[in-house]
Amino acid sequence: MKKILISTIAILLLLTNLLCFEATAATKVPTADDMGGYENLCLTYTFRYSASDNGRHYEKDLLPYTGYLDKNGKVQDFFFDSYLFLPCMGYGPSGARMHLQSGNPTKAIDWTAYVDDTFYNNANVDALESAFGKTKAALNDTKSKAGVFFTLLYPSTEATNFGNLGGKSLNFSKLEDRKYAIKWMIDEQIKRFEQAGYKNLELVGFYWLEEFTNSSGDDQLLKYASDYLHSKGLKFIWIPWYQANGYQKWESFGFDVACMQPNLMWLGYNDPLRVGKSIELSEKYGLCMEIECDGNVYTDEYFSRYLSYLEGGLNSSMMDAVKMYYQDGKTAVYYKACYSSDPQYRTVYDLTYKYAKGTLTQSDIDKVRPAQLNTDYEYVSDIGLDSLMASNVDWISIGKTYGGCRSYVDGNGLSYQDVSGKELTDGILATKALSTDWHAFHHTILDKDGRMSVILDLGAIHTNLTHFYAHFDNRMESGIGSPTGIVLSVSTDGKTFRELTKPKLFMDAKNSCFKYETTPVAARYVKMSFTPAGGNFVFCSEFLVGVKKNGSTESSAPEESSKPEESSKPEESSKPEESKPNESSKPEESKGNDDITDNSSKNENTESNTTPESSVSSESVDASQDVNASTESEYPVSGEASQPTAEDDGNGVLVWVVVGVAVIAVIAIIIIVIKKRK
């Protein structure tokens, strides 16, 4: 009996271990087999309704994507094997934003205009047919086809008077009307594609435009879309932002492939761990990783961030998984990089090609990694905005006048453009995105040295100036970059300035600031100048100059305690809305996945002024939560950092259930044996 008992216990323990191993086994990441045989999907943003060319892509625009071109423009190989057509984050003909925006849902006229534009004569899908055909001819290939994915717009429940599609008037407060609209969107685009009779293209599937799951009714709508697409032999894909609502259970919605955005490219700080964390979550829940790139990649800072994506994929399962690529709207990054005369910028194109083909090596990355990145800033958990204006200092700058680069007021009238000219010295530290408390420095409004600057007039010479502080916004996802290369200078006459210091910037997830404290300095004029670390804008809410109050025991030199607490990096507890929304996560008009980013390359002409958008987000992951309708603002939005959602660990629960059952079984057997012995 003793042998039986021991054997039974051993078997139960072995079974428990096997079950636990199975429960904790890694989830398979999606490969080409899961996406109809296609592996490298290029996001191709179109439909900038208010722009002169509507963001349409023509044959020449797509040639660097269908084929890998050498520096002489000769086709060497195929590049991306599939293309997703989707709208920029701009507005449609009804005035509604094409991506979900509370209070401003799309109407039928927006949907029909978008579909018409997707199949515009000689552009977009037509242009891909032509460009891919040219690439095939250059490579003597007669069989290959490019995969095509179309987009499903979001039928918002707020659209109770949506309009007419296919002869039916729709009210999206009704689930059946929402389903009808989704079916129309699928059928209409399939019909247009089939009627065109493309020889070089294959329709593979459809994409769910919103990057998070919204209302409780969405799961039913998604399942309906999934079932209908699968009945037609088509795939259903999704690209949620970083930890967007619903990302862990993407399969339950009926998606065949989901690809998570790391959103590092739009963070206001360079988080060296972000890509790794995103990959860890993607591997855990079976997603692939989106590669993200925007117009700032010509700078060492953002080039280094881009290398983080490629290196992360190289050193994980992601380079061998399905890969999706965000790189702004037309004219997009890879196109500019292909033809750029700047060696580093061209490298973006070459390395991406190697990554797509699975031939990228660590040596490729190490050879081009910038030798030294900007070190004049430091990341902290909280800059301590509430205590920034120390009580033991007489802030004599409050109420004083200033000159220098004017605030940007040339856009579409968002709140931050309604300025009084007193924002920098009104004693108010801005806490709300895009409010009137910000002075908006813009990349087109610079001083004679080509820098953003402000000169503060204290009204008289003060001989005892000891404190110099400034507070900035930190919403890169909205095109609002942090300042870099800050220089503080002082003058007694307003003409001859001497450099006082180059202060270090402290940054957390939402704000940045510098705090410079010194022995008494004499000056009437104080100048602050800097350049943007990225984006079109630098937002500053206050430039403070002060004198230590009499009787203060605080030392004049900056104490470590006066620095913001330094905990490695801002917690992801909240994601920028305007930056991405709760601070959600992604810039609305810009993301290309995002808000207002400057898509000009290092050696190319800069594009027109752009206005930062307010963030829009639902989950908190948008980095932009509001959006303007300025020309550039209609770029796609892409990176949203959403607030972290709690991770439900079903595997852990299963393990404990199995262990519990095993323990109970063992106890029961022991009791039975004891009773029999008695």
Side-chain angles (χ1 to χ4, degrees), residues 161-187:
N161 185 24
F162 175 76
N164 189 293
L165 284 181
K168 181 176 181 179
S169 182
L170 302 175
N171 174 358
F172 286 166
S173 66
K174 302 175 181 178
L175 179 60
E176 290 309 309
D177 280 9
R178 299 178 81 198
K179 290 180 178 179
Y180 175 91
I182 289 296
K183 183 177 182 299
W184 179 90
M185 196 74 180
I186 294 170
D187 290 343

Side-chain angles (χ1 to χ4, degrees), residues 310-328:
L310 301 182
E311 189 169 31
L314 168 65
N315 295 314
S316 69
S317 62
M318 293 297 135
M319 191 167 78
D320 297 323
V322 166
K323 296 173 282 291
M324 302 184 186
Y325 303 79
Y326 169 82
Q327 37 106 45
D328 280 345

Side-chain angles (χ1 to χ4, degrees), residues 31-304:
T31 62
D33 291 340
D34 300 302
M35 210 166 74
Y38 294 93
E39 184 178 343
N40 291 287
L41 180 71
C42 182
L43 276 63
T44 309
Y45 282 90
T46 66
F47 199 56
R48 295 178 63 202
Y49 181 74
S50 63
S52 59
D53 70 350
N54 282 19
R56 293 179 184 129
H57 297 265
Y58 296 94
E59 179 188 280
K60 68 178 180 62
D61 302 316
L62 295 175
L63 284 173
Y65 298 88
T66 57
Y68 171 65
L69 310 185
D70 64 20
K71 294 178 182 179
N72 296 316
K74 184 177 180 180
V75 178
Q76 298 296 322
D77 192 2
F78 288 110
F79 199 156
F80 298 103
D81 60 12
S82 48
Y83 300 80
L84 164 60
F85 290 94
L86 69 170
C88 290
M89 207 115 169
Y91 297 88
S94 76
R97 180 178 291 284
M98 298 304 293
H99 291 235
L100 177 64
Q101 182 179 31
S102 179
N104 190 21
T106 53
K107 304 291 177 58
I109 189 175
D110 303 311
W111 289 40
T112 56
Y114 168 66
V115 173
D116 288 344
D117 188 74
T118 300
F119 294 93
Y120 193 83
N121 189 41
N122 294 323
N124 300 336
V125 187
D126 279 7
L128 180 61
E129 163 78 1
S130 176
F132 200 77
K134 276 200 169 183
T135 301
K136 287 172 61 176
L139 297 172
N140 296 315
D141 181 299
T142 59
K143 297 182 179 180
S144 296
K145 290 189 176 185
V148 173
F149 287 81
F150 294 127
T151 292
L152 297 182
L153 299 179
Y154 185 74
S156 171
T157 54
E158 295 181 16
T160 55
N161 185 24
F162 175 76
N164 189 293
L165 284 181
K168 181 176 181 179
S169 182
L170 302 175
N171 174 358
F172 286 166
S173 66
K174 302 175 181 178
L175 179 60
E176 290 309 309
D177 280 9
R178 299 178 81 198
K179 290 180 178 179
Y180 175 91
I182 289 296
K183 183 177 182 299
W184 179 90
M185 196 74 180
I186 294 170
D187 290 343
E188 185 66 19
Q189 293 182 88
I190 291 176
K191 180 183 74 173
R192 303 275 190 106
F193 185 85
E194 291 177 343
Q195 286 176 344
Y198 298 119
K199 294 181 173 57
N200 300 314
L201 308 180
E202 176 186 10
L203 179 56
V204 185
F206 282 75
Y207 165 66
W208 184 248
L209 181 61
E210 298 312 321
E211 299 168 0
F212 62 98
T213 53
N214 184 36
S215 65
S216 58
D218 281 1
D219 54 350
Q220 300 176 61
L221 192 64
L222 288 167
K223 196 64 173 64
Y224 170 80
S226 174
D227 289 345
Y228 187 60
L229 288 170
H230 291 159
S231 73
K232 292 182 171 294
L234 297 171
K235 300 293 184 180
F236 195 23
I237 65 173
W238 187 40
I239 311 177
W241 61 61
Y242 182 69
Q243 294 192 5
N245 188 44
Y247 84 96
Q248 308 103 315
K249 53 182 182 179
W250 61 272
E251 288 178 289
S252 69
F253 300 128
F255 294 115
D256 297 289
V257 173
C259 190
M260 189 155 71
Q261 308 168 27
N263 298 144
L264 172 63
M265 195 59 67
W266 297 279
L267 284 183
Y269 56 96
N270 185 10
D271 178 358
L273 303 178
R274 169 56 79 88
V275 170
K277 290 186 294 185
S278 181
I279 290 173
E280 181 181 351
L281 292 173
S282 293
E283 290 181 332
K284 179 177 181 179
Y285 294 109
L287 296 88
C288 54
M289 175 180 72
E290 182 181 60
I291 296 295
E292 298 165 323
C293 192
D294 79 355
N296 292 301
V297 75
Y298 65 82
T299 66
D300 283 352
E301 165 75 12
Y302 287 88
F303 180 64
S304 178

Side-chain angles (χ1 to χ4, degrees), residues 351-650:
L351 292 183
T352 305
Y353 164 73
K354 288 186 175 184
Y355 183 82
K357 298 299 179 180
T359 61
L360 183 69
T361 66
Q362 188 65 50
S363 175
D364 293 326
I365 294 174
D366 292 340
K367 283 189 295 188
V368 299
R369 195 189 305 276
Q372 185 173 1
L373 295 178
N374 186 359
T375 56
D376 60 357
Y377 54 81
E378 189 168 337
Y379 305 119
V380 298
S381 61
D382 185 356
I383 66 168
L385 188 60
D386 293 341
S387 60
L388 188 61
M389 297 177 68
S391 60
N392 61 344
V393 178
D394 180 10
W395 298 106
I396 62 174
S397 60
I398 294 177
K400 297 300 190 293
T401 61
Y402 53 87
C405 297
R406 67 174 176 83
S407 189
Y408 179 85
V409 295
D410 307 334
N412 61 1
L414 288 185
S415 296
Y416 74 89
Q417 298 174 62
D418 185 17
V419 293
S420 64
K422 299 178 181 178
E423 285 70 29
L424 292 174
T425 57
D426 60 8
I428 299 173
L429 300 176
T431 56
K432 184 179 178 183
L434 303 180
S435 71
T436 57
D437 295 328
W438 299 104
H439 180 102
F441 292 95
H442 190 264
H443 73 96
T444 61
I445 306 171
L446 306 174
D447 63 19
K448 61 182 178 59
D449 297 321
R451 294 168 63 84
M452 299 173 176
S453 63
V454 60
I455 299 175
L456 177 62
D457 183 358
L458 298 175
I461 296 176
H462 292 260
T463 60
N464 55 347
L465 305 178
T466 55
H467 288 65
F468 302 83
Y469 292 4
H471 169 232
F472 302 92
D473 201 6
N474 185 10
R475 299 176 191 274
M476 186 59 217
E477 60 278 4
S478 301
I480 303 170
S482 293
T484 188
I486 303 170
V487 176
L488 276 180
S489 304
V490 293
S491 172
T492 55
D493 60 8
K495 298 177 182 178
T496 303
F497 284 82
R498 70 176 180 86
E499 182 178 313
L500 182 61
T501 187
K502 293 177 180 175
K504 175 179 284 191
L505 191 71
F506 293 94
M507 307 170 67
D508 64 20
K510 300 179 185 179
N511 309 275
S512 60
C513 76
F514 68 75
K515 299 172 68 174
Y516 177 68
E517 302 168 20
T518 184
T519 53
V521 172
R524 170 175 174 171
Y525 301 93
V526 183
K527 180 179 180 180
M528 172 178 64
S529 72
F530 46 79
T531 57
N536 293 322
F537 292 85
V538 170
F539 274 27
C540 183
S541 75
E542 200 69 13
F543 181 24
L544 296 163
V545 177
V547 175
K548 193 189 310 180
K549 288 182 179 178
N550 291 335
S552 169
T553 58
E554 181 183 334
S555 64
S556 54
E559 304 262 335
E560 276 301 305
S561 59
S562 71
K563 284 185 180 180
E565 287 226 12
E566 274 184 83
S567 96
S568 51
K569 85 179 228 176
E571 307 250 328
E572 262 196 10
S573 62
S574 92
K575 218 176 244 196
E577 219 323 9
E578 194 15 0
S579 99
K580 300 203 131 212
N582 233 93
E583 278 287 48
S584 64
S585 26
K586 84 181 19 187
E588 261 251 279
E589 264 304 38
S590 142
K591 176 186 182 202
N593 260 287
D594 303 82
D595 229 306
I596 271 288
T597 60
D598 184 348
N599 298 308
S600 58
S601 70
K602 193 171 190 177
N603 296 315
E604 331 293 85
N605 296 327
T606 27
E607 311 219 8
S608 60
N609 298 348
T610 65
T611 306
E613 308 208 353
S614 321
S615 21
V616 173
S617 125
S618 106
E619 180 53 8
S620 95
V621 44
D622 195 72
S624 144
Q625 283 200 1
D626 261 353
V627 181
N628 309 329
S630 95
T631 307
E632 223 179 90
S633 69
E634 292 183 31
Y635 271 87
V637 187
S638 173
E640 305 206 349
S642 80
Q643 298 180 237
T645 56
E647 295 179 20
D648 39 327
D649 194 343

